Amino acid sequence: MARAPFELAGVRVAAGSRTQIDVPVARLYTHAPLHIPVEVVHGRQHGPVLLVCGGIHGDEINSVEIVRRLLRSRQLQSVRGTLIAAPIVNVFGFVQHSRYLPDRRDLNRCFPGSESGSLGGRVAALFREQIVDHATHIVDLHTGAIHRTNLPQIRAQLSPGSETERMANAFGAPVILNAELREGSLRHYAQNRGIPVLTYEAGEALRFDEWAIAPGVRGVLRVMRRIGMLTGEHRRRPPPPAELANGSSWARAPIDGILRPQVRLGARVAKGELLGKVADPFGNAEGEVRSMADGIVIGMSRLPLANEGEALFHVARFDAIEEAESAVESFQSSLEPPPDSLY
């Protein structure tokens, strides 16, 4: 018996086909329509419905490129189940090069949303009703905020033996943060509905970081293979096991001034180790930024100008710090991505 079509936003996608759908979201001041672009790849065989979405924060463009390359992958020719790919969720922010919506709300704090609420609430409600609620699994793609960069990492609420844990281990990022759910986030909404969801964080806003994009594409394909959407042998070497962080903290600027970092992203640091120095333009006042714990630097500021109290270095803590350092080094040594035609 032929598999039934997949319906999204009033459009029916036949089994064994793929269709691009523009989901109406709002109009600009000029009366020009604005849409959330979506592509549905509906396999001939039954399987999970995976939502891969980027651009919930409109300036996080690494995520958009990950989705684009994913959709070009030859492996999608034999998908089981259905892939819903939404490269740009916050189309308002994307057009304006902004993390936020026009009303300065963070879309990732507006779920589940409301059809009669703020602009953020209305966009969240539309995205949830038209797209998210169709999914059985979700991979949500992000980067660091403006002027901050993140080491490739997975954030998820993990429980032993759960589908979320299996997806996180399959992805292949060097670090997994067992992160608490933030109210209003897509991850909070999905997890509370019993939908396994991963957040992939890598790179910097408004930048294309190849070392973040290529592993992101490979990670999504690994997840698809793990949940049974892709079959056959995988020719790439499996990634080294990810290390689970048991917590993290930010080291902050002790004074206002100009930051001179002393460590790089991915570096192993000891408690009390010097991470950077902040000084005024004359060098009359200088403050040291030191690590609060033994760990790995998984995020850091890229802007040398710092205000007192500003978060500068994000350090993740591990029970087995040597293994975490090895995982990061193995990951970094593998970062010679092939041309994207090979994905």
Side-chain angles (χ1 to χ4, degrees):
M1 179 182 296
R3 190 180 181 203
F6 184 86
E7 186 168 338
L8 187 143
V11 178
R12 293 165 65 87
V13 183
S17 68
R18 55 196 296 172
T19 301
Q20 293 181 359
I21 302 169
D22 289 330
V23 181
V25 62
R27 289 184 180 273
L28 298 176
Y29 305 127
T30 61
H31 197 63
L34 210 56
H35 303 86
I36 296 176
V38 179
E39 183 161 339
V40 175
V41 182
H42 190 40
R44 295 185 184 277
Q45 300 184 57
H46 291 278
V49 179
L50 173 66
L51 168 62
V52 179
C53 58
I56 283 183
H57 294 131
D59 59 357
E60 297 183 355
I61 65 174
N62 278 329
S63 62
V64 181
E65 178 66 3
I66 290 172
V67 176
R68 185 193 72 84
R69 294 192 194 179
L70 173 67
L71 290 170
R72 294 186 63 196
S73 171
R74 294 190 295 266
Q75 297 184 51
L76 299 189
Q77 294 173 3
S78 57
V79 164
R80 291 183 175 182
T82 305
L83 171 66
I84 306 173
I88 309 165
V89 178
N90 180 1
V91 288
F92 287 99
F94 186 77
V95 168
Q96 297 295 326
H97 307 172
S98 170
R99 176 183 179 89
Y100 302 107
L101 291 158
D103 60 0
R104 298 297 299 167
R105 291 181 184 270
D106 184 337
L107 181 56
N108 208 30
R109 297 295 180 268
C110 293
F111 288 93
S114 168
E115 295 179 358
S116 59
S118 66
L119 175 61
R122 292 171 192 240
V123 174
L126 181 141
F127 182 60
R128 169 180 57 81
E129 294 170 359
Q130 297 290 333
I131 299 170
V132 174
D133 287 347
H134 290 280
T136 62
H137 300 72
I138 298 175
V139 177
D140 184 19
L141 305 168
H142 287 263
T143 77
I146 188 73
H147 303 314
R148 289 185 185 172
T149 187
N150 282 333
L151 184 76
Q153 60 197 258
I154 288 294
R155 298 183 185 180
Q157 187 178 60
L158 304 177
S159 56
S162 67
E163 183 80 335
T164 301
E165 183 184 58
R166 287 189 286 271
M167 291 168 61
N169 288 329
F171 195 98
V175 172
I176 299 173
L177 280 178
N178 191 2
E180 293 295 323
L181 299 173
R182 291 194 174 184
E183 187 170 354
S185 67
L186 173 61
R187 191 162 65 88
H188 181 270
Y189 170 75
Q191 199 79 36
N192 285 343
R193 280 179 54 89
I195 302 172
V197 54
L198 303 181
T199 296
Y200 174 63
E201 289 269 2
E204 184 181 355
L206 294 177
R207 296 289 183 272
F208 271 0
D209 299 302
E210 185 61 29
W211 53 266
I213 295 166
V217 180
R218 291 195 288 264
V220 174
L221 290 170
R222 290 189 189 108
V223 169
M224 293 180 71
R225 193 171 300 279
R226 176 60 62 89
I227 65 178
M229 295 184 71
L230 299 175
T231 58
E233 292 296 323
H234 189 46
R235 290 175 292 179
R236 290 189 180 279
R237 290 185 304 170
E243 290 299 319
L244 179 63
N246 56 32
S248 66
S249 57
W250 280 93
R252 299 180 179 275
I255 62 172
D256 304 303
I258 300 170
L259 170 68
R260 303 191 311 280
Q262 304 293 308
V263 296
R264 58 177 174 77
L265 192 68
R268 175 182 175 178
V269 296
K271 183 177 181 178
E273 182 174 339
L274 181 66
L275 304 178
K277 295 181 179 181
V278 179
D280 67 40
F282 300 102
N284 296 327
E286 183 173 89
E288 296 180 337
V289 185
R290 294 189 176 272
S291 178
M292 304 288 288
D294 297 341
I296 301 289
V297 178
I298 63 168
M300 60 187 293
S301 174
R302 299 282 288 175
L303 183 66
L305 311 180
N307 293 307
E308 182 177 346
E310 188 170 345
L312 300 179
F313 299 91
H314 193 192
V315 178
R317 303 185 297 273
F318 301 85
D319 290 329
I321 186 64
E322 289 81 8
E323 285 82 352
E325 182 182 29
S326 177
V328 172
E329 289 177 349
S330 297
F331 174 84
Q332 291 174 330
S333 67
S334 70
L335 292 179
E336 293 183 4
D340 70 4
S341 60
L342 299 182
Y343 287 117

